[in-house]
Amino acid sequence: MRALSLGKHEDSIHLSTLVKKEKVITKIRVFNPDVSPGDIIFLFYKFSIMCFPLETSSIFCFHPCYLVTVHWIPAPVQDLLLVPLLVPEAGKAENQKPSRRGSLRWLVTLFFYLPAEDHKESEPFPQPEEETEEALTSNLYLAPTSCQGRCYEAFDKHHQCHCNARCQEFGNCCKDFESLCSDREGFSYSSDAISKEEIQSISEKIYRADTNKAQKEDIVLNRQNRISPSETRDQVDHCPKPLFTYVNEKLFSKPTYAAFINLLNNYQRVTGHGEHFNAQQLAEQDAFLREIMKTAVMKELYSFLQHQNRYGSEQEFVDDLKNMWFGLYSRGKEEGDSSGFEHVFSGEVKKGKVTGFHNWIRFYLQEKEGLVDYYSYILDGPWDSYPDVLAMQFNWDGYYKEVGSAFIGSSPEFEFALYSLCFIARPGKVCQLSLGGYPLAIRTYTWDNSTYGNGKKYIATAYIVSST
C-alpha cells in the first residue's frame, strides 16, 4: 500500500491493488472526511483522468484505460467488495444525501481493462492439463499473489505477499511459498533429496551436452508481432506470415529426430477417444527411448539420477520413463485416451481448446502442412542461439492455443531430459533450471487419478513458465 499526494491532504489517500486471475483491481480509500469532490477531481486530473460530478455523492471519471467511480461510504465500512454502488448511511433513505458530519470515507474504485462481461467473480482455476498453464504464462509468468516464478526474488513492498529469502522470518510469505520455493524435495522411493543447486548444475550439463541441437543457420524464424498478455484471449491473427521461414530438414534424419517424428502420428488429438497402440507403434516408443539413451544428454541425466539413488540400473530408468510418459490414462470419458507424451509433445484438443502442444518440431511440421496458423508471441527467451524459448499464440486446424511455450531448436532428447528431470525432482511443482547462464523454470503436473508400478504417478503436463 502506498500513499498518493493530495496537497494539504498528504497521506490521506492510499492505494491498494488486488490481482485475481487476469483482473487487476485497484482500490483507493480516502481517510480524511475533509477531502472534497473537487480535491478528488483535481487529483485525477494530474493523472490525465477527467472526472465529473454525477450527484452530490458520486463522481464519474473517464480515461482510455480506466473506469473510475467515487462514492461516499460510512466510516464503519472498512473492507467492501469493489462494487461501484453507493452504500447509504444507516437510517437514511437511499436517495438521501449522506451527511458530511462524522468520519466519512470516500471509496474510489478503478477497474483496469475490465470488459463488462468480466465483472463477475472469477471461477476457480481449472484442472492443470487445461487452462492452468495458459493462465500462468499469459500473465507474463508472474502471479503477484503467488510465488509462481518469484522464488527468492528481491523484496518489493508493493507485493501483497512475498517470496524472498526472509519472508518466513517476517511471516509474510505467499501461501504457496513452501510448496514452490522449497530448496530440497524428495521423490520416488528414495528419501534422498535433490537441491535447487544440483538441479541447476545438471541442467547446465544437459545444455552443454545437446550436440544434436539446431545451429543458428539451421532455423530462420519470423516472429513478427508481439502482443501483451491481456490480448492473448482475443484470438486475433497479428502475424500474416508463418513462424518458420526456414528449417534445415537434414536435422530430421538424425536418429533421435526421426524416432521422435515417428511417434507424432500415433495419437488421436481429441480427448475422449481411447488410444490403442498396435505392435509397430509400441515398437516406435521403444525405438525412441533406445535412441535417446545413446545420447550424451540422456547419459548425463541418468548418471545424475543414479548418483541421487533414484535408479539402480539404466533399464530401470528406461522402464520408468516409458511408464510415466507413454502410459495411458483418461482425460475424457473413455479410458486410456491420453498420455504425458501425447499431451506435451504432440498436443491435444479438449473442450474446443488446444492443450499441451509444446514442441517446435511438431509445430513446424503442422505449419508446413497448413494445419497451424501462427498468430503472435508474448515472450522471446534471452538466448541468442538455439535452443531458445518462445511463448506464442496459434490456431491448430480450427482450435486456438492461448499461450503455448516451447523450446525452439532443441533436440528431442534435450526436451525429454529436462521435462523428465523436473518431473522426477520436483513433481507437481516449479523446477528452477539454468541453461547457458540464464535461469529457466519448468512446471510439471502429476496425473493423480491413476498410478503405475509402486504407486508412481504419470506425468500430466510439463511446460516452461519462465525464462527470465
Side-chain angles (χ1 to χ4, degrees):
M1 183 173 287
R2 61 185 178 89
L4 296 177
S5 175
L6 189 64
K8 63 180 180 179
H9 304 298
E10 186 79 32
D11 295 328
S12 65
I13 297 181
H14 292 268
L15 173 71
S16 58
T17 300
L18 167 69
V19 178
K20 193 168 187 179
K21 206 167 183 180
E22 293 183 358
K23 302 178 181 179
V24 181
I25 303 173
T26 300
K27 176 172 60 178
I28 298 177
R29 284 208 296 265
V30 180
F31 294 91
N32 190 328
D34 294 327
V35 174
S36 69
D39 293 327
I40 297 290
I41 291 175
F42 178 73
L43 169 68
F44 282 97
Y45 176 75
K46 293 198 300 183
F47 288 90
S48 300
I49 305 175
M50 301 301 297
C51 300
F52 307 90
L54 288 181
E55 302 170 353
T56 56
S57 59
S58 62
I59 298 172
F60 186 75
C61 304
F62 291 92
H63 186 275
C65 302
Y66 317 133
L67 168 63
V68 184
T69 57
V70 185
H71 301 285
W72 276 339
I73 299 298
V77 181
Q78 296 294 330
D79 295 307
L80 295 176
L81 291 175
L82 300 183
V83 179
L85 295 175
L86 174 64
V87 181
E89 288 186 279
K92 294 209 171 193
E94 187 171 333
N95 59 358
Q96 225 176 335
K97 176 182 176 180
S99 169
R100 287 295 303 273
R101 296 188 302 273
S103 299
L104 295 179
R105 304 287 189 266
W106 290 86
L107 175 67
V108 184
T109 57
L110 285 75
F111 294 85
F112 289 74
Y113 298 102
L114 285 184
E117 62 269 21
D118 282 345
H119 287 180
K120 59 187 178 180
E121 279 294 310
S122 299
E123 296 179 358
F125 275 175
Q127 291 299 311
E129 74 278 13
E130 296 176 10
E131 292 90 346
T132 301
E133 61 194 68
E134 296 172 359
L136 291 171
T137 53
S138 66
N139 199 29
L140 279 184
Y141 312 107
L142 183 66
T145 56
S146 165
C147 285
Q148 181 72 49
R150 297 172 53 203
C151 290
Y152 304 107
E153 66 180 7
F155 176 76
D156 187 334
K157 65 181 180 180
H158 299 308
H159 288 158
Q160 296 181 48
C161 61
H162 303 278
C163 309
N164 59 83
R166 300 185 65 187
C167 70
Q168 290 177 310
E169 178 183 342
F170 289 96
N172 56 10
C173 297
C174 297
K175 292 182 179 179
D176 55 8
F177 175 82
E178 188 66 29
S179 61
L180 295 183
C181 303
S182 174
D183 277 347
R184 306 191 70 84
E185 188 67 36
F187 176 73
S188 188
Y189 48 80
S190 172
S191 60
D192 294 326
I194 300 176
S195 71
K196 182 174 68 175
E197 291 74 20
E198 288 170 328
I199 293 175
Q200 291 174 333
S201 175
I202 183 58
S203 60
E204 283 288 2
K205 290 181 179 179
I206 290 172
Y207 178 80
R208 292 192 295 269
D210 187 17
T211 56
N212 278 338
K213 67 183 179 181
Q215 302 302 309
K216 270 192 172 183
E217 62 273 15
D218 289 329
I219 298 176
V220 178
L221 293 180
N222 187 5
R223 296 172 181 84
Q224 300 166 78
N225 290 315
R226 180 174 182 171
I227 65 171
S228 67
S230 63
E231 299 176 271
T232 58
R233 291 187 175 181
D234 295 345
Q235 301 191 30
V236 175
D237 189 352
H238 296 277
C239 301
K241 296 181 180 180
L243 172 63
F244 288 93
T245 299
Y246 168 77
V247 171
N248 180 6
E249 294 194 7
K250 289 182 179 179
L251 288 169
F252 302 157
S253 63
K254 294 184 176 184
T256 58
Y257 285 80
F260 174 81
I261 292 171
N262 284 341
L263 295 171
L264 297 177
N265 63 356
N266 292 349
Y267 300 96
Q268 302 181 68
R269 68 176 182 177
V270 178
T271 59
H273 298 277
E275 304 289 354
H276 304 284
F277 300 124
N278 58 36
Q280 178 181 342
Q281 292 169 333
L282 292 172
E284 288 172 351
Q285 294 174 7
D286 293 332
F288 172 72
L289 293 171
R290 187 167 55 250
E291 289 299 333
I292 65 173
M293 288 305 300
K294 296 176 184 178
T295 66
V297 163
M298 293 301 290
K299 290 185 183 300
E300 286 282 4
L301 177 60
Y302 169 65
S303 176
F304 171 77
L305 293 174
Q306 185 187 40
H307 180 74
Q308 294 289 334
N309 296 320
R310 290 302 188 273
Y311 301 98
S313 68
E314 184 174 307
Q315 189 59 51
E316 181 188 357
F317 177 49
V318 172
D319 290 344
D320 200 33
L321 290 175
K322 184 172 183 179
N323 281 313
M324 74 170 69
W325 279 104
F326 294 101
L328 294 174
Y329 47 78
S330 176
R331 290 182 188 266
K333 295 180 180 179
E334 187 167 339
E335 291 296 322
D337 67 332
S338 183
S339 68
F341 184 91
E342 177 185 6
H343 181 88
V344 173
F345 294 102
S346 183
E348 295 181 296
V349 172
K350 184 174 182 180
K351 297 180 181 178
K353 297 180 66 175
V354 178
T355 65
F357 202 132
H358 298 289
N359 179 257
W360 74 271
I361 300 171
R362 174 68 161 166
F363 189 101
Y364 166 74
L365 294 174
Q366 292 286 282
E367 187 177 61
K368 183 181 177 182
E369 291 185 30
L371 297 175
V372 162
D373 184 2
Y374 170 65
Y375 274 21
S376 54
Y377 76 99
I378 63 169
L379 179 86
D380 185 14
W383 295 272
D384 58 5
S385 61
Y386 297 118
D388 198 359
V389 171
L390 197 67
M392 52 198 165
Q393 293 68 50
F394 58 90
N395 185 297
W396 184 24
D397 196 22
Y399 300 96
Y400 184 64
K401 180 68 174 179
E402 187 175 316
V403 180
S405 57
F407 288 105
I408 304 292
S410 55
S411 69
E413 60 265 28
F414 175 83
E415 292 182 55
F416 199 81
L418 288 188
Y419 291 144
S420 298
L421 167 65
C422 286
F423 184 68
I424 293 169
R426 295 289 186 272
K429 298 181 181 180
V430 172
C431 178
Q432 304 288 344
L433 307 177
S434 179
L435 303 178
Y438 292 103
L440 180 133
I442 287 176
R443 181 70 151 99
T444 66
Y445 282 94
T446 60
W447 187 258
D448 294 331
N449 296 337
S450 54
T451 60
Y452 68 89
N454 188 22
K456 290 186 177 183
K457 305 271 183 78
Y458 300 102
I459 184 168
T461 189
Y463 53 90
I464 302 161
V465 295
S466 177
S467 63
T468 54

